[in-house]
């Protein structure tokens, strides 16, 4: 499996010029995977139709349109590839069971009742 490397502009945060640029991997034309403090995040993105060499620049859509799909303190590419392959082969119900119901850290993130 080969994933395209992209740059993701995240923000704005506190003001209109407050952005963070992240290295990521394009899973589908609208979904990207990237690491944030050891957590692998799946987020909706939109291609930036700018000029020049900005062919792999994407902008995050709503920050709430994201979900943690793995934890890897070393932030390895092998984790990205393993998770991407698994996500592409999962149904929505498999995702809910495997990634939400069996994840002890999902209680707060997904408001799971235990």
């Amino acid at each position: 499996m080969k994933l395209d490397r992209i740059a993701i502009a995240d923000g704005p945060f506190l003001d209109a010029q407050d952005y963070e640029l992240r290295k990521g991997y394009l899973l589908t034309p609208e979904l990207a995977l990237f690491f944030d403090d050891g957590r692998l995040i799946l987020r909706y993105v939109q291609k930036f139709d700018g000029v020049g060499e900005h062919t792999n620049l994407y902008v995050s859509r709503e920050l709430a349109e994201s979900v943690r799909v793995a934890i890897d303190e070393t932030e390895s590419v092998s984790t990205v590839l393993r998770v991407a392959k698994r996500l592409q082969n999962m149904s929505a119900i498999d995702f809910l069971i495997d990634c939400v119901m069996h994840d002890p850290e999902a209680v707060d993130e997904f408001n799971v009742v235990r």
Side-chain angles (χ1 to χ4, degrees):
M1 166 182 271
K2 181 182 178 302
L3 298 175
D4 291 333
R5 291 278 315 264
I6 62 171
I8 303 167
D10 237 357
F13 296 106
L14 298 176
D15 59 55
Q17 290 77 37
D18 190 10
Y19 286 86
E20 187 169 335
L21 195 58
R22 304 176 187 277
K23 296 177 187 175
Y25 302 86
L26 198 59
L27 184 63
T28 70
E30 293 184 325
L31 290 172
L33 292 164
F34 66 91
F35 281 104
D36 182 23
D37 292 327
R39 300 172 304 136
L40 185 60
I41 306 296
L42 176 68
R43 178 167 296 156
Y44 271 113
V45 293
Q46 183 175 3
K47 186 168 180 63
F48 175 73
D49 292 325
V51 295
E53 297 178 17
H54 301 295
T55 57
N56 286 348
L57 180 60
Y58 286 74
V59 178
S60 286
R61 290 180 34 194
E62 293 294 322
L63 296 180
E65 292 181 340
S66 64
V67 63
R68 177 185 43 80
V69 292
I71 297 173
D72 178 1
E73 296 300 325
T74 60
E75 300 187 4
S76 67
V77 176
S78 63
T79 297
V80 174
L81 293 172
R82 189 181 80 248
V83 169
K85 185 176 181 181
R86 186 148 184 240
L87 286 172
Q88 288 179 329
N89 293 317
M90 289 179 112
S91 68
I93 195 71
D94 289 338
F95 176 79
L96 289 172
I97 291 168
D98 292 348
C99 299
V100 178
M101 290 177 69
H102 292 142
D103 182 351
E105 294 190 22
V107 173
D108 295 329
E109 192 168 353
F110 296 102
N111 297 317
V112 175
V113 177
R114 299 245 187 249

